[in-house]
Amino acid sequence: MADLHDISAFVAVATHGGFRGAARMTGSSASQLSEAVRRLEARLGVRLLNRTTRSVAATDAGQRLLENLTPALDAIESALDVVNGFRDRPAGRLRLNVPLSASKLVLPRIVPQFLAAYPEICLEVTVEDRFVDLLQSGCDAGIRYEESMDQDMVAIPIGPRLQRMALAASPSYLTQHGRPRHPDDLRKHICLAGRFSSGAMPPWYFERKGRSVTVETNGPLIVNLGAAADLAVDCAAAGTGVIYLFEEWLQPYIDRGELEPLLEPWWPSFTGPSLYYPGRRYLPAPLRAFVDFVQTMRW
């Protein structure tokens, strides 16, 4: 019978598309994983991975084996991790995949207290705004908004339950260009726009007393709505143009007087984000601890 370590090595390499990626996620070396896969192939008498200098891909036999092994290994990992729950302090690694907005507006309220309560847990946070497959990415859980979440995931509220998009500009900009009185006025203003990683450029949306207005922005700056959002805010504070972003993101600038809120009665509200994870009978102990901790938070 094949060694479970060799089987796990094969699954890691096939899932992450290469030995280096699998090594980073498992903490093993690429050479150790390569040797483990070779042993498994020798025992089974069939090639499981096609290797080139640039890529690694599962053969037909390897793909079929991967499809059957993945749920079995998940069940074994979950069952073994139940033992960890008997310890006074859960230990291990917890991997989260979150958008930049959550890393900036939600996690700072949670992470310091959580790590202080569970010092034996190592929290690894990956920030990206594209939606990812948690299992393929090697993450235990993620944070997303409802419209971008798979329906078969378990989801619990995390962070503020109601958020708003806000509009603001610097005093110097307003002195030079005037203050918009209605969302339609923004068509004549300099708007600092954002683009999702998918390439889509969302319009600015406003609502008031059942009425809604959508504005297609046109301006001298377009930023990635994830990593470069702070650049747009700094440019707005410097007087470059009008910014439209999460209210909590802009609030510190407003409090300092660097930005002034605009058209506040028109700011649209929406439901806050959720922590989501695959439904399992047994959650890994670090994830269970994090879920329980999040549910005690008040916003």
Side-chain angles (χ1 to χ4, degrees), residues 83-91 117-120 289:
V83 177
N84 201 23
F86 285 95
R87 300 176 58 178
D88 292 335
R89 293 183 178 274
Y118 299 98
E120 295 182 45

Side-chain angles (χ1 to χ4, degrees), residues 47-61:
R47 178 177 289 274
L48 300 175
L49 298 174
N50 287 322
R51 308 162 178 82
T52 69
T53 56
R54 294 186 177 181
S55 65
V56 174
T59 63
D60 289 344

Side-chain angles (χ1 to χ4, degrees), residues 7-189:
I7 294 174
S8 298
F10 160 72
V11 171
V13 174
T15 300
H16 297 290
F19 291 97
R20 291 183 179 178
R24 286 194 298 269
M25 296 306 298
T26 62
S28 301
S29 68
S31 60
Q32 289 173 326
L33 292 174
S34 178
E35 181 59 31
V37 172
R38 278 198 293 268
R39 285 196 302 267
L40 181 60
E41 288 177 327
R43 285 195 180 97
L44 297 178
V46 62
R47 178 177 289 274
L48 300 175
L49 298 174
N50 287 322
R51 308 162 178 82
T52 69
T53 56
R54 294 186 177 181
S55 65
V56 174
T59 63
D60 289 344
Q63 186 61 40
R64 180 64 62 86
L65 180 61
L66 179 64
E67 292 171 357
N68 286 279
L69 282 176
T70 300
L73 287 176
D74 285 344
I76 292 173
E77 181 181 357
S78 297
L80 291 175
D81 202 73
V82 172
V83 177
N84 201 23
F86 285 95
R87 300 176 58 178
D88 292 335
R89 293 183 178 274
R93 187 178 298 271
L94 172 61
R95 298 182 176 93
L96 299 181
N97 186 286
V98 307
L100 180 62
S101 58
S103 72
K104 187 177 182 71
L105 306 177
V106 176
L107 290 184
R109 285 274 307 275
I110 299 174
V111 170
Q113 298 178 54
F114 176 73
L115 294 180
Y118 299 98
E120 295 182 45
I121 291 178
C122 176
L123 180 62
E124 182 176 332
V125 179
T126 299
V127 177
E128 55 185 334
D129 283 276
R130 66 183 182 90
F131 187 77
V132 300
D133 184 300
L134 286 179
L135 296 179
Q136 289 188 358
S137 68
C139 292
D140 301 292
I143 297 177
R144 287 295 182 274
Y145 288 85
E146 292 179 357
E147 64 270 16
S148 61
M149 199 179 307
D150 289 344
Q151 294 183 353
D152 60 347
M153 293 286 174
V154 177
I156 65 169
I158 186 172
R161 287 302 78 217
L162 195 66
Q163 293 183 276
R164 293 195 301 175
M165 297 299 292
L167 187 76
S170 71
S172 62
Y173 174 89
L174 296 175
T175 297
Q176 182 177 358
H177 298 276
R179 181 181 293 268
R181 303 298 177 184
H182 187 277
D184 284 335
D185 295 343
L186 292 171
R187 307 180 201 280
K188 301 176 183 178
H189 279 264

Side-chain angles (χ1 to χ4, degrees), residues 215-229:
V215 178
E216 298 289 344
T217 56
N218 184 22
L221 177 66
I222 300 173
V223 301
N224 182 300
L225 282 174

Side-chain angles (χ1 to χ4, degrees), residues 101 105 145 163-166 244-251 270:
S101 58
L105 306 177
Y145 288 85
Q163 293 183 276
R164 293 195 301 175
M165 297 299 292
Y244 177 85
L245 202 60
F246 289 90
E247 179 182 4
E248 301 100 316
W249 206 315
L250 299 183
Q251 194 62 52
F270 52 94

